[in-house]
């Protein structure tokens, strides 16, 4: 007598009829652009796989942004190890998404996956879509991941988005120049956002604004805790999970001198009355598009005179940068406009760290106090389109449909003897998100006040 498996039989038919996702039509146009750019060549764009956090626990899966851009996949349904393959035909490409289907219940070759595979079994990780469901939702032919290796055979010129899927990298011989061109093209394809992407970014920024409002409402509680920064971090992170897929990046909740650390994410310090809190955070929507906003807040609700002096200079610098946003302007114009204001302000304060006779280049003169650039492209990545060629991004020009941040800052390190003692340990950054339009730019995060007086009034209304 054959021993019965406890999981054999007795399963209902749970297949679903799914509509086409709202973003799928836009993703189809992007795939057409890839097909047009690489005629006669196979193009392979992996989603990436799971990464171990500790022993048998993985980090939450987040697919590669290029894969998301070409599929419009959503956070709740993204499947690790999926791979998008463009196969050349005489008139373009056929496109197939090789992915992991539902865990089978029929006792076949993978019949134990459902209950026996801690990484992929649906008893452990939840339901996936069937292949027909995936095809219906994304508008792409779907096939099992087990057919991928066969699909990558043959003497067809092939370009691969490298460094995302180790198995794909090992299966297809590298062509460094061709693969780099693919990477650059996929990054540049994301520079100009379509109307659907803009809507996703608006939603992500709206939830980000809500998270800042939550955080201000919890400042008083944060001051009572030894790790008040983490209370603020947790408050924002809760909103991110409620409104979207999660965080676009690790939340920076930097109180006091921690605000002088550009990427302070330890968040283990206290939040004290009289100090400033620099909160840099963003909600990632279910579609993976993210907001990125920074406010520097007086914990007690009012800036001191010296804090306001620094804040007002950063605000003036940001305002100058914002005024420089327009289609046709060089990408670097907004940064240069902001830095001119910073330079004039620091000179007026007598803070010229290298001296008036220094041979240091003008562009580097004030980096001691304002280290980094004043903004970046924004989209599926917080620092979006990073793989684009220099001539199309850092040295390029702004176009309608670009979305970017403007975020100048001043950071006076607590041990910097070149500044007066009253300035040491003060860090201020103000960051907003902008959509370049045909005649200027629109602030997507305009619901958050920027000026010092408005910030104080806003905080008073939430305390």
């Amino acid at each position: 007598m054959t021993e019965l498996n406890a999981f054999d039989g007795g399963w209902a038919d749970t297949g679903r009829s799914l509509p086409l996702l709202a973003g799928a039509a836009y993703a189809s146009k992007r795939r057409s652009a890839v097909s047009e750019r690489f005629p006669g060549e196979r193009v392979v764009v992996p989603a990436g796989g799971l990464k171990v956090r500790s022993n048998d626990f993985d980090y939450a899966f987040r697919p590669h942004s290029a894969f998301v851009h070409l599929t419009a996949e959503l956070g709740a349904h993204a499947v690790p190890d999926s791979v998008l393959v463009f196969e050349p035909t005489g008139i373009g490409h056929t496109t197939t998404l090789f992915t992991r289907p539902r865990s089978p219940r029929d006792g076949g070759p993978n019949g134990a996956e459902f209950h026996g595979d801690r990484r992929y079994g649906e008893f452990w990780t939840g339901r996936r879509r069937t292949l027909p469901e995936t095809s219906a939702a994304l508008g792409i032919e779907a096939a099992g991941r087990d057919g991928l290796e066969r699909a990558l055979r043959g003497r067809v010129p092939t370009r691969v988005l490298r460094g995302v899927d180790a198995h794909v990298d090992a299966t297809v011989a590298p062509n460094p120049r061709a693969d780099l061109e693919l990477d650059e093209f996929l990054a540049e394809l994301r520079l100009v956002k379509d109307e659907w992407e803009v809507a996703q970014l608006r939603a992500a920024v709206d939830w980000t604004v809500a998270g800042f409002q939550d955080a201000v409402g919890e400042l008083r509680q944060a001051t009572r805790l030894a790790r008040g920064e983490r209370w603020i971090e947790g408050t924002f992170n809760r909103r991110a999970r409620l409104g979207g897929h999660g965080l676009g990046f690790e939340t920076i909740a930097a109180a006091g001198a921690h605000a002088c650390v550009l990427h302070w994410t330890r968040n283990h310090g206290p939040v004290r009355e009289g100090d400033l809190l620099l909160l840099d955070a963003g909600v990632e929507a279910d579609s993976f598009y993210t907001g990125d906003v920074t406010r520097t807040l007086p914990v007690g609700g009012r800036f001191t005179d010296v804090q306001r002096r620094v804040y007002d200079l950063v605000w003036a610098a940001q305002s100058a940068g914002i005024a420089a946003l327009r289609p046709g302007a060089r990408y670097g114009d907004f940064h240069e406009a902001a830095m001119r204001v910073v330079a004039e302000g620091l000179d007026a304060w007598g803070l010229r760290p290298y001296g008036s006779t220094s041979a240091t280049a003008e562009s580097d003169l004030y980096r001691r106090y304002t280290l980094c650039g004043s903004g970046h492209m924004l989209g599926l990545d917080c620092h979006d389109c990073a793989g684009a060629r220099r001539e199309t991004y850092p040295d390029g020009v702004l176009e309608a449909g670009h979305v970017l941040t403007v975020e100048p800052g001043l950071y006076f390190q607590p041990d910097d003897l070149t500044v007066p003692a009253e300035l040491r340990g003060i860090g201020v950054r103000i960051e907003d998100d902008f959509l370049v339009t045909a005649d200027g730019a629109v602030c997507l995060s305009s619901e958050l006040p920027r000026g010092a007086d408005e910030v104080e009034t806003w905080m008073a209304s939430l305390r």
Side-chain angles (χ1 to χ4, degrees), residues 37-54:
R37 172 62 180 81
F38 302 109
E41 300 181 73
R42 181 184 292 147
V43 175
V44 184
V45 181
L50 294 168
K51 296 179 181 179
V52 175
R53 183 187 185 279
S54 62

Side-chain angles (χ1 to χ4, degrees), residues 101-415:
R102 291 207 65 194
S103 294
R105 308 289 203 277
D106 59 6
N110 296 321
E113 177 190 272
F114 170 68
H115 60 88
D117 190 325
R118 291 170 179 256
R119 270 195 140 184
Y120 302 109
E122 292 185 8
F123 201 116
W124 295 89
T125 63
R127 187 188 192 277
R128 292 188 293 273
R129 293 176 303 215
T130 66
L131 294 178
E133 289 169 357
T134 296
S135 183
L138 300 181
I140 307 172
E141 181 68 26
R145 163 78 192 214
D146 55 6
L148 175 64
E149 194 164 339
R150 188 183 322 110
L152 298 181
R153 294 173 186 163
R155 301 176 65 84
V156 180
T158 302
R159 297 175 187 258
V160 174
L161 184 64
R162 295 280 170 182
V164 182
D165 186 310
H167 179 72
V168 171
D169 285 350
T171 301
V172 182
N175 185 335
R177 181 173 180 177
D179 294 340
L180 176 60
E181 288 176 350
L182 173 62
D183 191 15
E184 292 171 340
F185 179 78
L186 294 177
E188 291 169 13
L189 191 61
R190 302 209 305 272
L191 280 168
V192 175
K193 271 61 177 179
D194 58 42
E195 59 183 350
W196 183 81
E197 292 180 285
V198 170
Q200 297 306 305
L201 283 161
R202 286 185 183 277
V205 173
D206 286 347
W207 282 108
T208 299
V209 168
F212 274 76
Q213 293 169 337
D214 294 344
V216 170
E218 292 292 324
L219 273 174
R220 182 167 288 133
Q221 174 63 15
T223 63
R224 302 184 180 114
L225 304 169
R227 293 184 172 185
E229 291 176 340
R230 291 195 176 172
W231 188 264
I232 297 300
E233 174 190 7
T235 297
F236 184 88
N237 294 4
R238 181 180 63 225
R239 176 65 68 172
R241 287 292 282 168
L242 177 67
H245 183 59
L247 298 173
F249 52 93
E250 291 299 309
T251 296
I252 297 168
H258 291 163
C260 299
V261 180
L262 294 178
H263 288 170
W264 176 262
T265 57
R266 300 179 196 176
N267 299 342
H268 60 31
V271 175
R272 298 187 178 95
E273 292 277 348
D275 280 348
L276 297 176
L277 170 74
L278 189 156
L279 180 60
D280 186 341
V283 172
E284 182 180 79
D286 291 327
S287 58
F288 297 107
Y289 288 83
T290 186
D292 180 11
V293 175
T294 306
R295 287 294 183 270
T296 306
L297 309 168
V299 175
R302 298 188 65 83
F303 294 98
T304 66
D305 289 344
V306 68
Q307 289 169 350
R308 181 180 279 259
R309 182 154 57 101
V310 178
Y311 189 94
D312 284 349
L313 179 52
V314 174
W315 177 87
Q318 192 201 28
S319 297
I322 294 168
L325 297 178
R326 65 180 64 88
R330 293 186 311 113
Y331 172 79
D333 284 354
F334 76 91
H335 171 67
E336 292 180 7
M339 288 303 100
R340 278 194 295 273
V341 173
V342 167
E344 291 167 1
L346 292 178
D347 279 352
W349 296 354
L351 297 181
R352 196 172 174 91
Y354 295 101
S356 59
T357 61
S358 172
T360 302
E362 189 71 21
S363 61
D364 286 342
L365 198 56
Y366 302 94
R367 294 185 73 232
R368 185 182 185 102
Y369 310 134
T370 180
L371 176 65
C372 58
S374 299
H376 52 80
M377 292 295 182
L378 183 69
L380 282 167
D381 291 336
C382 174
H383 295 170
D384 206 25
C385 311
R389 291 168 297 167
R390 186 164 193 84
E391 59 265 31
T392 63
Y393 180 1
D395 293 339
V397 299
L398 295 179
E399 298 180 42
H402 283 172
V403 177
L404 70 160
T405 70
V406 179
E407 53 168 321
L410 280 171
Y411 314 95
F412 299 113
Q413 300 298 326
D415 56 349

Side-chain angles (χ1 to χ4, degrees), residues 8-19:
D8 286 345
W11 299 105
D13 181 1
T14 57
R16 302 170 182 174
S17 178
L18 298 183

